[in-house]
Amino acid sequence: MYLVESKGGAIGCMLIALVFLGTWPAILAYLERRGRLPQHTYLDYSITNLLTAVVIALTVGQIGRDKPDIPNFITQLLRLWIYIASLDNWPCILIAMAGGVFLSLGNLSTQYAWAFVGLSVTEVITSSIAVVLGTTLNYFLDDRINRAEILFPGVGCFLVAVCLGSAVHSSNAADNEKKLVRLSNSRETISYQDESKDLENGTHKEEKAKVGSAHHLIELENKRAIKVFGKSIWLGLSITFFAGVCYSLFSPTFNLATNNQWHMMKRGTPNLVVYAAFFYFSLSFFVIAVILNVWFLYRPVLNLPKSSLTSYLKDWKGRNWAFLAGVLCGLGNGLQFMGGQAAGYAAADCVQALPLVSTFWGVLCFGEYWRSSKRTYVLLVSMLFMFIVAVAVLIASSGHRKVYSR
């Protein structure tokens, strides 16, 4: 089994995880904006998320020979059922599975929050809450192997970022409202729906709305699966904050599952290796995702149309993108846990700076913040700057875990 043991290797895992974990939300947001039902997307996404965890466990988790205290994935998987039967190992397995439940609920919530708050700000708020609460818990669980005088100023930067994120959303929402009011008061027709004559071919063609304009906002509302016009921004923020609390709990529970800080297992029982814990973590993630999304197919929320399992199975539009999102999320989570096991899970929470990546995709692909006010731009730049500082500080606080089992 391959284990990341150097600080440099751990930092490399964290940075790659940051890119992956910042990209998959953009893919799911893209599908929702193209009208695909979020229930269909999340079911596809959860399938490849689980398969990715299995592949990681069967490859990286099987490299090298078994060690008495650190067995390979399959060896420990077989042993685990023996320990479960004797009630020796089940507490850590259940804790690992609880972490998967928290992450599944958090990801599912953010999928709906993106429609109300926007991709960039949703990721900012949820990630900041996760760092403020989760990093603090991980610091004490890891026997303070991270340097507190560096770590907690980094947490402070995330706390400032969440305040700036809320301000960005409020300012951008006000900008959008002004655009729509000006449009409704204008005598101009909606030009992007008008047809202009093509002189060469004698045909007509449709003029595309400018990104960031009021016409573009209306066009987006007509296409997307979740309709948000007329709904309170506080609904979106409430969903976002709930997701942030869920995110703040999944990493500490995974930490507990792999390092057994509460000594819940009988003496002499080997701790869960990262790959075994990740397998159970991803398994519970998948189960919760399937149960909730099948329920939402028949009893949808937020006025979404009803669907069915038959409709889901026939819906191949965008399925390849949803599968890709699940792979990226699975790889990102696996790399985060591998890095955290080596350098401390508190430092590994630097991957929660994924809004740096998500904001890039939001601006580039979705036109978020285009044609906004100067105030919105100043707040946005300030928010991103605080994230860059926070990532650098949290990485600088990385420690080194000398022992992988107890």
Side-chain angles (χ1 to χ4, degrees), residues 92 95 137-145 251-265 271 340-341 344-345 401 406:
C92 287
I95 289 177
L137 292 172
N138 277 323
Y139 171 73
F140 291 103
L141 287 174
D142 279 337
D143 294 331
R144 306 180 184 184
I145 65 174
S251 180
T253 52
F254 192 91
N255 191 352
L256 277 170
T258 54
N259 294 295
N260 191 30
Q261 290 93 337
W262 291 351
H263 306 290
M264 295 172 290
M265 296 187 298
N271 288 350
Q341 188 67 11
Y345 286 92
R401 195 188 307 277
R406 301 182 181 181

Side-chain angles (χ1 to χ4, degrees), residues 14-87:
M14 296 173 196
L15 293 177
I16 297 173
L18 174 60
V19 175
F20 289 164
L21 293 175
T23 299
W24 73 261
I27 296 175
L28 264 61
Y30 167 82
L31 293 175
E32 185 275 323
R33 288 174 180 237
R34 294 300 182 274
R36 193 167 197 251
L37 290 179
Q39 307 98 304
H40 293 188
T41 298
Y42 204 87
L43 284 169
D44 291 337
Y45 153 85
S46 61
I47 291 171
T48 49
N49 182 276
L50 174 62
L51 292 177
T52 301
V54 173
V55 171
I56 290 174
L58 293 176
T59 54
V60 185
Q62 284 296 115
I63 295 176
R65 296 182 178 180
D66 283 318
K67 297 180 181 179
D69 55 340
I70 311 177
N72 285 343
F73 168 69
I74 292 179
T75 301
Q76 185 167 59
L77 188 65
L78 295 175
R79 290 180 183 176
L80 287 176
W81 294 107
I82 299 175
Y83 289 126
I84 291 173
S86 60
L87 302 181

Side-chain angles (χ1 to χ4, degrees), residues 276-298:
F278 187 38
F279 169 76
Y280 285 104
F281 174 94
S282 300
L283 181 62
S284 64
F285 179 103
F286 173 76
V287 171
I288 293 298
V290 170
I291 291 174
L292 291 179
N293 282 281
V294 169
W295 174 267
F296 289 155
L297 287 176
Y298 298 94

Side-chain angles (χ1 to χ4, degrees), residues 2 42 91 98 106 131 172 186 191 204 235 260 309 369:
Y2 173 76
Y42 204 87
V131 167
N172 193 54
S186 174
S191 60
H204 291 73
L235 173 61
N260 191 30
L309 281 174
Y369 308 115

Side-chain angles (χ1 to χ4, degrees), residues 107-378:
N107 286 353
L108 182 61
S109 300
T110 56
Q111 189 181 21
Y112 291 95
W114 292 328
F116 291 91
V117 186
L119 175 64
S120 304
V121 176
T122 299
E123 297 304 316
V124 167
I125 295 176
T126 56
S127 298
S128 299
I129 295 173
V131 167
V132 171
L133 298 179
T135 301
T136 303
L137 292 172
N138 277 323
Y139 171 73
F140 291 103
L141 287 174
D142 279 337
D143 294 331
R144 306 180 184 184
I145 65 174
N146 300 101
R147 298 173 61 184
E149 67 274 14
I150 299 178
L151 178 70
F152 286 106
V155 173
C157 291
F158 273 92
L159 186 58
V160 173
V162 72
C163 297
L164 290 171
S166 298
V168 169
H169 169 65
S170 177
S171 180
N172 193 54
D175 294 340
N176 289 339
E177 184 67 25
K178 289 179 181 178
K179 295 174 187 176
L180 294 171
V181 169
R182 284 198 298 266
L183 179 64
S184 64
N185 294 334
S186 174
R187 294 180 180 179
E188 298 177 0
T189 58
I190 302 178
S191 60
Y192 77 90
Q193 289 182 338
D194 291 342
E195 293 183 338
S196 56
K197 189 174 182 180
D198 186 332
L199 298 178
E200 181 178 354
N201 299 317
T203 59
H204 291 73
K205 60 182 179 180
E206 195 173 273
E207 184 180 347
K208 190 175 182 180
K210 293 181 179 179
V211 177
S213 66
H215 295 309
H216 178 260
L217 295 175
I218 295 173
E219 193 178 63
L220 173 62
E221 178 73 5
N222 291 332
K223 288 182 178 179
R224 72 187 320 159
I226 304 174
K227 308 301 181 184
V228 299
F229 280 7
K231 293 186 173 64
S232 171
I233 63 171
W234 295 108
L235 173 61
L237 288 175
S238 298
I239 298 173
T240 303
F241 277 95
F242 171 77
V245 173
C246 291
Y247 284 149
S248 70
L249 296 175
F250 85 86
S251 180
T253 52
F254 192 91
N255 191 352
L256 277 170
T258 54
N259 294 295
N260 191 30
Q261 290 93 337
W262 291 351
H263 306 290
M264 295 172 290
M265 296 187 298
K266 185 179 295 185
R267 184 180 296 274
T269 303
N271 288 350
L272 290 180
V273 296
V274 171
Y275 307 106
F278 187 38
F279 169 76
Y280 285 104
F281 174 94
S282 300
L283 181 62
S284 64
F285 179 103
F286 173 76
V287 171
I288 293 298
V290 170
I291 291 174
L292 291 179
N293 282 281
V294 169
W295 174 267
F296 289 155
L297 287 176
Y298 298 94
R299 296 181 179 272
V301 295
L302 302 177
N303 297 321
L304 283 164
K306 287 185 177 182
S307 184
S308 64
L309 281 174
T310 302
S311 298
Y312 159 69
L313 294 173
K314 292 180 179 179
D315 181 14
W316 284 91
K317 183 180 179 181
R319 175 159 287 166
N320 55 329
W321 287 106
F323 284 160
L324 176 61
V327 172
L328 291 175
C329 183
L331 289 173
N333 287 331
L335 289 168
Q336 176 187 355
F337 296 146
M338 291 166 65
Q341 188 67 11
Y345 286 92
D349 282 336
C350 73
V351 303
Q352 294 298 338
L354 53 92
L356 284 172
V357 181
S358 295
T359 299
F360 170 79
W361 292 119
V363 173
L364 182 65
C365 299
F366 306 142
E368 291 187 355
Y369 308 115
W370 284 44
R371 294 178 172 83
S372 292
S373 64
K374 291 183 179 179
R375 179 175 184 272
T376 299
Y377 290 142
V378 170

